[in-house]
Amino acid sequence: MKYWKKYSKEKLIAKIDKALASTIDFQNSKHLGYPVSKLDENVFNTSGAFLNDSPLLKSFIANPNNIGCHTLGKSEPAFKGSQELEKEVIQVLAVDIFKAKENEYDGYIANGGTEANIQALWIYRNKFKKDFNATLNEMVIISSEDTHYSVNKGSNLLSVDSVQIPVDFNSREIIVEELDAIVGKLISEGKKYFMVISNMATTMFGSVDNPDMYAEILTKHTVEFKIHVDGAFGGFIYPISNRKSTINFENSNVSSITIDAHKMLQAPYGTGVFLCRKNLIENVLTKEAQYVDGMDLTISGSRSGANAIAVWMILFSYGYYGWFEKINTLLLRTEWFCNQLNDLGIEYYRNPFMNIVTLKSAHVPADLAKKFGVVPQTHEGENKWYKVIMMDHVEIDDLLKFIEELKSL
């Protein structure tokens, strides 16, 4: 790893203090033109010795605004420090985890995976319009039936049709023949420009799509396409547990990637990440934001610099090897759980590089699922699956209690 290092607590605090020193100090200075301020001291406790060892709390109190995309052009100088730390996060994720070439990527910390996925669709819609004078009726979004519902939101917001591709019930793999037939039908209906959402760990199953399969079919049909990888859940585990993964920027078929730090990384909510290749994000420049020093290239505009600092803290507290050890502990628990299910003859789905196990509902009574908080595939109609996710708080003792109750049935 070139950039992903492990820092001592003292170094973490020192770097964050330095970053906050270059952010507007509303306590001791006056800035008349910024529509932001320090937190209201009549409501929030913004002082105390405890803050010396609480760099994240100090960051929230400083209230930096990380508006813009700091890998491209200039940004608001009033919040330079937190923006620099965000740039370090994007560098680690793009280069060290997803194998982008130096300075050939852009990205930012979004408010979540939903925003990051829609950001990708927004970019590709505008690019097709700009490059090919494409109409909305000529564009389409395609993804598997297991894809996150944010794609449906994006379809609705951007007025671009969305079509789901069937998957095999047991393997959760996209049925290639169905994809081929659906693409052919869409072309016959006038679709020429395809936006693909390819999953790196679906929400319910942890299943992983092969983006090259999409590319092969779409190339065969000679249509224009862009592929976005939704790694909201899998982005902080799959590329590390599967060292042979080709779902990264070395793969020319991959144009952009979503990751969520508030899932596997356990950051505060509001810490999704959007990554893309160079010369793409400019397609969503809001030229009207002329009072912003720099380019507004994101859906959200203003966003919390403190959240960016939180992600930076986690990454550099662990370093690559510390994180590798952590996820492997979770994978060992997952393996143990699967072995127990095998002994009981219970059918389930699991990607071998992921920490999600999804059980067929026939083996899990609804009252037992509710007692242990396992999540159904659907809350409406017939439910066919329940999922268990191995996170830090899910220990062997917890899993054992669930297994014992399954045995008693």
Side-chain angles (χ1 to χ4, degrees):
M1 293 290 149
K2 186 173 182 180
Y3 297 109
W4 195 0
K5 311 296 182 184
K6 180 176 181 177
Y7 293 158
S8 66
K9 182 178 179 181
E10 291 74 21
K11 185 169 184 178
L12 288 168
I13 292 174
K15 288 204 67 168
I16 292 171
D17 284 344
K18 182 179 179 181
L20 295 179
S22 57
T23 292
I24 290 179
D25 179 3
F26 294 106
Q27 188 73 32
N28 300 305
S29 61
K30 304 297 181 185
H31 288 74
L32 304 182
Y34 286 95
V36 290
S37 68
K38 64 186 178 73
L39 297 185
D40 189 334
E41 292 181 356
N42 292 318
V43 180
F44 303 103
N45 182 4
T46 60
S47 62
F50 68 94
L51 290 175
N52 293 330
D53 293 318
S54 306
L56 183 57
L57 290 179
K58 282 194 285 187
S59 302
F60 279 108
I61 291 169
N63 203 24
N65 180 356
N66 275 21
I67 188 171
C69 176
H70 314 305
T71 58
L72 181 65
K74 61 180 181 176
S75 300
E76 285 281 1
F79 310 105
K80 179 181 178 182
S82 56
Q83 294 166 2
E84 288 298 319
L85 295 185
E86 179 169 318
K87 283 174 65 176
E88 289 189 28
V89 168
I90 299 302
Q91 185 178 56
V92 164
L93 301 181
V95 177
D96 285 344
I97 296 183
F98 288 104
K99 301 182 180 181
K101 293 181 180 179
E102 297 283 352
N103 302 314
E104 291 191 13
Y105 60 87
D106 284 311
Y108 73 99
I109 295 181
N111 288 307
T114 292
E115 178 190 324
N117 285 342
I118 296 172
Q119 177 83 18
L121 296 173
W122 186 28
I123 288 170
Y124 300 139
R125 186 199 70 170
N126 286 8
K127 181 172 177 60
F128 288 148
K129 288 173 69 175
K130 184 182 75 173
D131 291 356
F132 305 102
N133 199 29
T135 64
L136 295 177
N137 289 334
E138 293 175 322
M139 302 182 211
V140 66
I141 303 163
I142 60 172
S143 59
S144 87
E145 64 181 73
D146 288 340
T147 298
H148 189 260
Y149 63 83
S150 56
V151 177
N152 302 97
K153 287 187 176 184
S155 169
N156 182 270
L157 286 167
L158 298 170
S159 296
V160 175
D161 291 339
S162 178
V163 175
Q164 292 189 329
I165 312 300
V167 302
D168 180 86
F169 182 76
N170 292 305
S171 72
R172 311 315 297 181
E173 292 181 358
I174 290 171
I175 301 171
V176 180
E177 296 78 12
E178 293 277 3
L179 172 63
D180 193 10
I182 289 171
V183 169
K185 182 174 183 292
L186 289 169
I187 292 171
S188 71
E189 294 170 352
K191 302 300 184 185
K192 301 177 182 179
Y193 308 98
F194 288 70
M195 308 175 208
V196 178
I197 303 294
S198 183
N199 294 292
M200 179 185 285
T202 55
T203 306
M204 189 67 200
F205 296 93
S207 52
V208 177
D209 300 332
N210 178 5
D212 295 334
M213 177 263 296
Y214 278 112
E216 181 180 346
I217 296 297
L218 293 167
T219 300
K220 168 188 166 183
H221 286 277
T222 62
V223 292
E224 293 290 334
F225 66 91
K226 287 292 182 184
I227 297 178
H228 172 73
V229 174
D230 180 5
F233 189 88
F236 280 110
I237 180 169
Y238 185 82
I240 297 165
S241 59
N242 183 6
R243 299 303 299 274
K244 295 182 179 180
S245 171
T246 59
I247 307 176
N248 52 53
F249 288 119
E250 285 185 338
N251 185 334
S252 61
N253 293 321
V254 174
S255 292
S256 55
I257 300 171
T258 286
I259 324 162
D260 268 1
H262 53 235
K263 290 187 174 71
M264 282 304 303
L265 210 64
Q266 295 177 262
Y269 274 101
T271 47
V273 182
F274 175 76
L275 303 173
C276 67
R277 296 182 184 275
K278 278 290 184 189
N279 303 314
L280 285 174
I281 202 168
E282 295 92 327
N283 286 285
V284 293
L285 172 64
T286 303
K287 296 178 181 179
E288 293 81 2
Q290 295 180 4
Y291 66 86
V292 176
D293 193 0
M295 296 184 288
D296 188 356
L297 299 155
T298 70
I299 289 175
S300 56
S302 296
R303 59 187 194 277
S304 171
N307 279 356
I309 291 174
V311 180
W312 182 90
M313 283 181 66
I314 297 169
L315 287 176
F316 289 94
S317 291
Y318 279 96
Y320 169 74
Y321 293 106
W323 189 252
F324 180 84
E325 290 178 353
K326 175 173 178 172
I327 65 168
N328 273 280
T329 297
L330 300 179
L331 291 172
L332 285 171
R333 290 179 193 172
T334 309
E335 195 71 29
W336 180 90
F337 184 61
C338 288
N339 288 337
Q340 307 308 305
L341 296 177
N342 291 337
D343 290 344
L344 293 175
I346 291 175
E347 296 175 288
Y348 62 89
Y349 171 85
R350 183 216 170 184
N351 181 291
F353 300 104
M354 289 301 303
N355 56 329
I356 298 177
V357 180
T358 312
L359 291 68
K360 290 186 177 179
S361 62
H363 302 285
V364 185
D367 57 344
L368 184 64
K370 184 176 181 180
K371 177 179 178 179
F372 283 91
V374 296
V375 176
Q377 183 184 25
T378 179
H379 291 276
E380 298 178 4
E382 182 185 4
N383 175 58
K384 297 180 180 180
W385 297 91
Y386 286 106
K387 72 171 175 179
V388 175
I389 305 179
M390 258 47 71
M391 299 293 285
D392 262 15
H393 68 280
V394 180
E395 299 181 346
I396 293 291
D397 285 345
D398 304 307
L399 297 169
L400 186 57
K401 292 173 185 176
F402 180 63
I403 290 294
E404 291 298 329
E405 295 224 20
L406 284 175
K407 282 182 181 179
S408 70
L409 297 173

